[in-house]
């Protein structure tokens, strides 16, 4: 499809346009706050204070951000190949099995740095397997990836309820969760990282999987922009027919992309399971897979955009908790609204303000050209 | 309890749980046939259910509740339409966004207005739908075989239940026997041809989206005004996605949609009925497997192992007039 919009300077394309969209999303969210009868500025104050006010708060913000970096990268990788992986939620949930198995197996005998790599492999493998089937079905049988991944989210949810209530639950326990892991199944906190900035981490579960998330982000950048596979993925994303003409195997790219995407989503499970709770619980993903969609859209599918977008959602999650504490009529569901608005304005309506911005820039650049001409003469 | 009685009870609850699925799947039929993917059925249904519960609680009128449900659902559909038709945005992204916005705002607004933990106040008799009993239902009940079928299966449902089943042939008639329906389907298969014939693709698609809004409004109103007495947060609980699955399972055809919804409704009713009791011949079946079955069946169908599901050709592609 042709692009009906003129090319804009990079900083406008990747900076101003997303910022305008984001600002509109927050403006509408502010209206909702008004509708509830509260002061949006007060809410904004509690949001910022709740997310950055103390070392502990920052720890929580970055803990949530870690989760969203993984799920955001997962969605972004698929986006590059023109695939919409809406199943990050299910892949992360199933990825939890890999983490739990590694921990249940070795946590009492091995230190964390032995268990952690195995858990990474486990989570990535389980997540990849859960994404493999939709990918394969799309590639070989032509079933629409969006629909299959939605279905797989529900299947994953049923599967996990079954596993946690019947299989992984310790004998005699009522709660649908695994046993609490011993020391080997718990990740060390990044208290030293915050201490460099003179901050005290307190009880925040900010842990080493944050570093893994940064490595993953770098890895995704390498993959997409510096490898042959990444080139093929982008080609297919821009024009499937061009990819076919160039002799690239569509089905191979589809399956591999989905597996990478699923693996990234699956690795998200490390953060809550090994980093916070020290066990696998029902519904530990808590919608993070869907937040990934918002994060990827806002970050324009680039790791350098995804990390700040993930931090922004970390701010919303942590600061949102503070708002609901200070202003009881604004519960944490406010975050869900903002998330939806961000998806709407940064995703579906991303081009709404583009004509206006383009006009603005074409006028100013023409004026600059005129000024340059008169100066030259 | 004899076997026949169990079957009647099971079928009765099947009908009860299938009604919102039928409405929502037919709603999806209209948009998807016009070339617009709609995974926002869930959100529209939820928004409609909330509007119905809230307005009926305030006005004590079930009809105003229904009207509010339809209006809100149309408004949400138009947002989806604006994003995917006028702005040519990604239709899936837009649907996801609507689901989230509604999921959050129904809780926030419900809590702010009614302060009952995201519920709307329980509705009194006049403010919700009552079941309709056919004439002589009680008299005939004792007649073997015909009695229970007439009294429990055919009679004793809400008016919306009958509307839902009437919508199936009506939708078929609209889509396959009217000029509007022909154009609507054409817009989903080959919008360029429709444009060449001098018909506005944009306006056709907007009308399809409005039809979807009306039907989702009925689905939501049924949830909060008939099935239960009031809105409960998150009460759609994935029904929009099951309806979407049913729509695909039915290969985008009205009568198949009814059958698919009844099948998925039956699975649901059956799972509730079973509650961990072993099945004859098969033995113990986990409830979770029963719950996942609609999704698993849809995936198998999509994979082309039970026939082939071919979606409308122009689905998901925004229409750009040639410049």
């Amino acid at each position: 499809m042709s692009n009906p919009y003129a090319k804009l300077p990079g900083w406008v394309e990747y900076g101003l346009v997303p910022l305008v969209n984001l600002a509109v999303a927050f403006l509408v969210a502010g209206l909702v706050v008004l509708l509830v009868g509260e002061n949006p500025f007060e809410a904004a104050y509690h949001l910022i204070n709740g997310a950055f006010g103390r070392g502990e708060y920052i720890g929580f913000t970055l803990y949530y951000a870690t989760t969203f970096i993984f799920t955001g990268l997962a969605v972004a990788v698929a986006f590059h190949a023109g695939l919409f992986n809406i199943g990050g939620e299910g892949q992360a949930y199933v990825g939890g099995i890999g983490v739990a198995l590694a921990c249940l197996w070795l946590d009492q005998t091995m230190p964390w740095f032995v268990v952690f790599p195995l858990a990474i492999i486990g989570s990535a493998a389980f997540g990849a397997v859960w994404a493999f089937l939709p990918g394969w079905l799309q590639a070989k049988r032509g079933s629409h990836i969006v629909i299959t991944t939605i279905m797989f989210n529900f299947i994953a949810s049923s599967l996990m309820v079954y596993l946690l209530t019947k299989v992984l639950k310790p004998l005699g326990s009522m709660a649908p969760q695994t046993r609490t892991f011993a020391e080997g199944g718990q990740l060390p906190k990044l208290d030293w990282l915050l201490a460099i900035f003179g901050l005290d981490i307190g009880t925040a579960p900010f842990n080493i999987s944050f570093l893994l998330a940064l490595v993953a982000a770098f890895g995704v950048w390498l993959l997409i922009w510096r490898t042959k596979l990444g080139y093929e993925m982008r080609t297919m994303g821009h024009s499937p027919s061009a990819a076919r003409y160039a002799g690239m195997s569509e089905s191979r790219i589809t399956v591999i992309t989905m597996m990478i995407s699923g693996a990234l989503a699956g690795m998200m499970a490390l953060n809550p399971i090994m980093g916070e709770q020290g066990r696998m619980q029902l519904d530990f993903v808590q919608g993070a897979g869907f937040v990934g969609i918002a994060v990827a859209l806002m970050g324009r599918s680039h790791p350098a955009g995804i990390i700040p977008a993930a931090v922004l959602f970390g701010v919303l999650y942590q600061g949102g908790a503070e708002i609901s504490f200070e202003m009881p009529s604004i519960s944490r569901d406010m975050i869900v609204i903002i998330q939806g608005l961000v998806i709407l304005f940064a995703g579906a309506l991303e081009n709404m303000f583009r004509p206006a911005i383009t006009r603005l820039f074409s006028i100013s650049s023409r004026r600059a050209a005129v000024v340059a001409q008169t100066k030259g003469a | 309890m004899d076997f026949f009685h169990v079957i009647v009870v099971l079928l009765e609850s099947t009908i009860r749980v299938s009604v919102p699925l039928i409405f929502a799947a037919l709603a999806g039929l209209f948009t998807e046939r016009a070339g617009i993917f709609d995974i926002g059925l869930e959100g529209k249904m939820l928004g409609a259910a909330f509007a119905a519960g809230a307005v009926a609680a305030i006005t004590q009128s079930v009809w105003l509740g229904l009207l509010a449900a339809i209006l809100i659902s149309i408004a949400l559909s138009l947002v989806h339409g604006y994003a995917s038709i006028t702005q040519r945005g990604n239709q899936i992204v837009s649907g996801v966004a609507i689901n989230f916005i509604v999921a959050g705002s129904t809780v926030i607004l419900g809590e702010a207005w009614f302060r009952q933990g995201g519920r709307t106040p329980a509705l009194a008799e006049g403010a919700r739908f009552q079941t309709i009993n056919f004439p002589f239902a009680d008299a005939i009940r004792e007649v073997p075989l015909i009695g229970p079928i007439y009294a429990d299966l055919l009679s004793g449902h809400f008016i919306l239940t009958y509307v839902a089943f009437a919508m199936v042939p009506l939708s078929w008639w609209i889509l396959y026997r009217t000029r509007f329906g022909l154009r609507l389907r054409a817009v989903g298969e080959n919008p360029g041809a429709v444009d060449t014939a001098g018909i506005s693709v944009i306006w056709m698609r907007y009308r399809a989206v409005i039809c979807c809004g009306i039907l989702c409004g009925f689905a939501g109103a049924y949830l909060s005004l008939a099935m239960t007495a009031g809105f409960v947060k998150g009460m759609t609980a994935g029904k929009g996605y099951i309806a979407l699955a049913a729509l695909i399972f039915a290969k985008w055809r009205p009568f198949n949609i009814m059958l698919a919804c009844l099948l998925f409704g039956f699975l649901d009713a059956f799972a509730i009925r079973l509650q961990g009791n072993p099945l004859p011949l098969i033995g113990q079946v986990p409830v979770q497997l029963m719950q996942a079955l609609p999704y698993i069946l849809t995936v198998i169908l999509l994979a082309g192992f039970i026939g082939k599901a071919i979606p409308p050709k122009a689905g998901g592609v925004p229409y750009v007039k040639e410049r």
Side-chain angles (χ1 to χ4, degrees):
Chain A
M1 202 182 71
S2 67
N3 182 11
Y5 304 105
K7 200 166 163 56
L8 291 167
W11 67 273
V12 180
E13 180 71 41
Y14 297 104
L16 190 63
V17 173
L19 273 182
V20 168
N21 291 336
L22 191 66
V24 176
F26 273 92
L27 208 68
V28 177
L31 291 179
V32 177
V33 175
L34 270 181
L35 206 60
V36 172
E38 293 279 359
N39 182 349
F41 294 102
E42 199 189 332
Y45 167 76
H46 289 306
L47 181 75
I48 301 298
N49 186 44
F52 298 112
R54 271 196 235 160
E56 189 173 356
Y57 298 165
I58 295 178
F60 268 104
T61 300
L62 291 174
Y63 162 75
Y64 290 121
T66 308
T67 293
F68 303 145
I69 293 175
F70 282 120
T71 54
L73 289 173
V75 177
V77 166
F79 267 156
H80 279 289
L83 301 167
F84 197 156
N85 177 13
I86 210 166
E89 188 78 9
Q91 289 142 18
Y93 209 175
V94 172
I97 303 175
V99 182
L101 288 183
C103 291
L104 291 172
W105 178 35
L106 289 174
D107 66 331
Q108 279 152 338
T109 46
M110 293 287 172
W112 71 269
F113 50 82
V114 178
V115 182
F116 190 41
L118 284 172
I120 295 173
I121 295 168
S123 61
F126 273 86
V129 165
W130 205 247
F132 164 77
L133 268 172
W136 184 82
L137 288 172
Q138 157 103 25
K140 295 289 182 196
R141 318 279 319 186
S143 38
H144 201 295
I145 198 118
V146 172
I147 308 291
T148 32
T149 45
I150 291 176
M151 301 298 137
F152 267 71
N153 281 344
F154 286 99
I155 299 171
S157 159
S158 291
L159 174 75
M160 295 300 285
V161 173
Y162 176 75
L163 287 179
L164 281 170
T165 50
K166 298 275 161 63
V167 183
L168 291 169
K169 188 181 72 169
L171 278 178
S173 156
M174 289 303 288
Q177 56 193 29
T178 65
R179 68 174 166 79
T180 305
F181 307 140
E183 200 120 310
Q186 305 196 355
L187 294 177
K189 287 184 183 182
L190 287 177
D191 40 0
W192 51 270
L193 189 66
L194 288 188
I196 297 173
F197 302 99
L199 297 164
D200 174 26
I201 192 167
T203 59
F206 178 47
N207 61 74
I208 199 143
S209 55
F210 176 69
L211 300 182
L212 181 69
L214 296 184
V215 172
F218 180 69
V220 166
W221 176 79
L222 271 185
L223 170 74
I224 301 285
W225 281 279
R226 288 293 179 273
T227 66
K228 183 165 162 261
L229 177 66
Y231 178 74
E232 291 178 337
M233 283 163 59
R234 282 183 294 138
T235 310
M236 196 175 96
H238 277 290
S239 165
S241 49
R244 218 174 302 137
Y245 187 67
M248 299 168 184
S249 161
E250 251 179 299
S251 49
R252 187 182 67 96
I253 303 171
T254 304
V255 171
I256 293 178
T257 306
M258 279 307 287
M259 288 181 75
I260 294 171
S261 176
L264 286 163
M267 277 151 74
M268 167 267 161
L270 295 161
N271 193 35
I273 295 180
M274 284 184 84
E276 194 205 3
Q277 293 143 358
R279 57 175 173 256
M280 181 158 74
Q281 294 174 323
L282 215 56
D283 281 329
F284 68 85
V285 186
Q286 294 192 324
F290 295 114
V291 179
I293 300 171
V295 168
L297 286 170
M298 243 190 75
R300 307 223 126 215
S301 299
H302 193 293
I306 286 170
I307 293 171
V311 171
L312 177 87
F313 273 91
V315 168
L316 286 176
Y317 267 64
Q318 167 55 19
E322 183 72 11
I323 294 180
S324 59
F325 183 69
E326 296 284 337
M327 305 161 89
S329 60
I330 305 177
S331 63
R332 290 194 68 172
D333 296 278
M334 193 68 208
I335 306 166
V336 181
I337 302 183
I338 298 179
Q339 184 184 329
L341 289 167
V342 168
I343 295 177
L344 186 68
F345 285 103
L349 293 174
E350 62 171 338
N351 292 330
M352 191 156 74
F353 303 102
R354 195 179 292 258
I357 293 172
T358 312
R359 217 173 304 133
L360 206 71
F361 274 89
S362 61
I363 291 169
S364 64
S365 60
R366 215 175 298 145
R367 200 169 289 158
V370 171
V371 169
Q373 260 178 359
T374 44
K375 267 186 187 159
Chain B
M1 211 165 21
D2 62 312
F3 185 67
F4 178 68
H5 185 69
V6 172
I7 294 286
V8 168
V9 170
L10 200 56
L11 290 180
E12 195 195 346
S13 49
T14 299
I15 292 175
R16 201 173 325 122
V17 292
S18 326
V19 170
L21 300 182
I22 292 176
F23 275 127
L26 288 175
L29 178 71
F30 275 91
T31 44
E32 302 227 334
R33 274 296 180 136
I36 296 165
F37 280 151
D38 197 350
I39 61 173
L41 296 175
E42 173 91 359
K44 273 176 266 191
M45 224 197 310
L46 188 66
F50 175 72
V55 171
I58 293 167
T59 62
Q60 290 299 317
S61 158
V62 66
W63 298 109
L64 285 178
L66 177 64
L67 185 71
I70 292 173
L71 289 179
I72 286 293
S73 176
I74 290 178
L76 290 168
S77 293
L78 287 176
V79 172
H80 183 57
Y82 177 70
S84 45
I85 303 168
T86 306
Q87 291 293 331
R88 296 178 210 139
N90 186 321
Q91 300 168 1
I92 289 150
V93 172
S94 161
V96 172
I98 286 171
N99 286 344
F100 280 119
I101 293 170
V102 174
S105 42
T106 48
V107 179
I108 295 266
L109 295 178
E111 180 59 28
W113 292 340
F114 302 107
R115 309 213 171 276
Q116 297 188 3
R119 291 166 162 270
T120 59
L123 296 171
E125 287 223 342
R128 59 184 152 94
F129 285 106
Q130 302 297 320
T131 51
I132 298 170
N133 281 313
F134 284 6
F136 315 118
D138 284 324
I140 299 178
R141 192 183 301 266
E142 299 310 319
V143 180
L145 213 61
I146 306 168
I149 289 179
Y150 180 77
D152 292 328
L153 270 188
L154 297 178
S155 158
H157 290 291
F158 303 102
I159 186 161
L160 288 183
T161 310
Y162 301 110
V163 173
F165 283 94
M167 279 295 175
V168 177
L170 186 66
S171 302
W172 171 83
W173 186 76
I174 292 175
L175 284 173
Y176 291 89
R177 286 292 178 271
T178 66
R179 183 186 300 197
F180 170 75
L182 177 67
R183 289 174 176 179
L184 189 143
R185 283 181 296 133
V187 136
E189 297 289 337
N190 190 346
V194 178
D195 203 7
T196 314
I199 299 154
S200 165
V201 174
I202 309 272
W203 174 224
M204 256 337 284
R205 287 192 167 169
Y206 265 110
R207 280 191 282 176
V209 161
I210 292 170
C211 290
C212 168
I214 296 170
L215 286 166
C216 275
F218 275 110
Y222 178 84
L223 288 177
S224 61
L225 298 181
M227 215 166 170
T228 44
F231 174 83
V232 184
K233 74 173 177 182
M235 75 187 304
T236 44
K239 287 192 181 64
Y241 294 108
I242 296 224
L244 190 68
L247 173 65
I248 296 160
F249 197 73
K251 303 175 186 172
W252 293 270
R253 293 205 183 97
F255 285 101
N256 289 1
I257 284 177
M258 184 181 74
L259 296 178
C261 290
L262 285 172
L263 171 68
F264 291 174
F266 177 77
L267 289 174
D268 194 11
F270 193 60
I272 295 167
R273 176 92 208 151
L274 212 59
Q275 285 299 358
N277 294 321
L279 268 180
L281 298 177
I282 308 169
Q284 190 86 21
V285 177
V287 193
Q288 289 81 20
L289 181 65
M290 302 285 293
Q291 284 163 348
L293 211 50
Y295 307 111
I296 296 174
L297 284 176
T298 306
V299 169
I300 294 174
L301 175 89
L302 275 172
F305 296 121
I306 325 172
K308 187 118 181 92
I310 303 164
K313 258 201 208 82
V317 189
Y319 182 66
V320 186
K321 226 178 160 79
E322 277 187 46
R323 285 184 302 270

